[in-house]
């Protein structure tokens, strides 16, 4: 079986793991994901998404359902702003390259459903990542980040 050079095969006992190296806004990555799943027909497909990011990619109406007061009460305003900034940046890159951000992950999700493989979301919750990042920033870095977020929104 001839797989793309973006694929790393790991073997442990009788199990084989095909790791597909991807870029978040790359048509080649989308094709690599589809081709590997078509060729290998795995029983499980893992995508580097947490539940929150999975829902963001799969729920087109999420912004209309957003309760801004709940976001504020739960202290998640920073996360919302960071998510908006990251999304805006990825959309700009995606528009320039003609690829929707997260398309390679959605290709994995769609192919898993198509071949009836188990789908595993294999990433730490984005809120944990953002919280840790925020905690490790100094005062001026936080100010710079907040101003960059405000400019991008």
């Amino acid at each position: 079986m001839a797989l793309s050079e973006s694929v790393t095969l790991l073997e442990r006992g009788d199990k084989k793991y095909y790791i597909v190296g991807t870029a978040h806004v790359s048509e080649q990555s989308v094709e690599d994901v589809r081709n590997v799943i078509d060729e290998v027909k795995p029983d499980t497909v893992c995508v580097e998404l947490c539940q929150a990011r999975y829902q963001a990619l799969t729920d087109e109406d999420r912004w209309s359902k957003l309760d801004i007061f709940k976001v504020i009460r739960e202290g998640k305003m920073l996360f919302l702003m960071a998510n908006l900034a990251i999304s805006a940046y990825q959309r700009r890159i995606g528009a320039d390259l003609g690829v929707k951000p997260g398309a390679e992950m959605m290709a994995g999700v769609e192919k898993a459903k198509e071949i009836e493989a188990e789908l595993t979301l294999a990433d730490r919750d984005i809120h944990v990542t953002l919280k840790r990042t925020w905690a490790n920033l100094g005062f001026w870095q936080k100010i710079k980040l907040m101003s960059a977020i405000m400019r991008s929104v």
Side-chain angles (χ1 to χ4, degrees), residues 34-59:
R34 288 180 180 144
N35 291 339
V36 169
I37 295 172
D38 279 340
E39 227 172 293
V40 173
K41 304 264 188 285
D43 55 11
T44 302
V45 174
C46 298
V47 291
E48 188 183 3
L49 287 172
C50 64
Q51 187 64 39
R53 289 176 51 223
Y54 172 77
Q55 288 175 335
L57 284 174
T58 57
D59 185 358

Side-chain angles (χ1 to χ4, degrees), residues 16-150:
K16 291 184 180 182
Y17 302 89
Y18 296 84
I19 312 296
V20 184
T22 63
H24 288 309
V25 284
S26 162
E27 186 59 42
Q28 182 61 51
S29 290
V30 174
E31 289 305 311
D32 287 348
V33 167
R34 288 180 180 144
N35 291 339
V36 169
I37 295 172
D38 279 340
E39 227 172 293
V40 173
K41 304 264 188 285
D43 55 11
T44 302
V45 174
C46 298
V47 291
E48 188 183 3
L49 287 172
C50 64
Q51 187 64 39
R53 289 176 51 223
Y54 172 77
Q55 288 175 335
L57 284 174
T58 57
D59 185 358
E60 299 289 325
D61 299 325
R62 71 187 178 281
W63 296 116
S64 64
K65 299 174 195 170
L66 181 66
D67 180 350
I68 192 71
F69 297 109
K70 181 179 178 188
V71 170
I72 294 169
R73 276 193 310 274
E74 292 178 355
K76 294 184 177 178
M77 195 62 190
L78 173 66
F79 301 127
L80 175 62
M81 290 173 39
N83 192 14
L84 288 172
I86 292 166
S87 295
Y89 177 71
Q90 287 183 333
R91 275 195 307 279
R92 276 195 303 266
I93 292 172
D96 290 346
L97 299 175
V99 179
K100 189 175 178 181
E104 80 288 357
M105 291 183 273
M106 287 308 300
V109 168
E110 291 161 4
K111 281 291 181 181
K113 289 179 184 175
E114 182 181 307
I115 67 167
E116 298 180 358
E118 179 182 343
L119 176 65
T120 298
L121 303 179
D123 202 1
R124 174 176 57 200
D125 188 297
I126 187 66
H127 296 110
V128 172
T129 302
L130 292 173
K131 198 178 282 190
R132 287 182 180 175
T133 301
W134 184 255
N136 287 316
L137 294 177
F139 177 75
W140 290 112
Q141 290 173 313
K142 288 178 181 177
I143 297 296
K144 286 181 195 176
L145 179 60
M146 291 301 292
S147 66
I149 289 172
M150 296 306 284

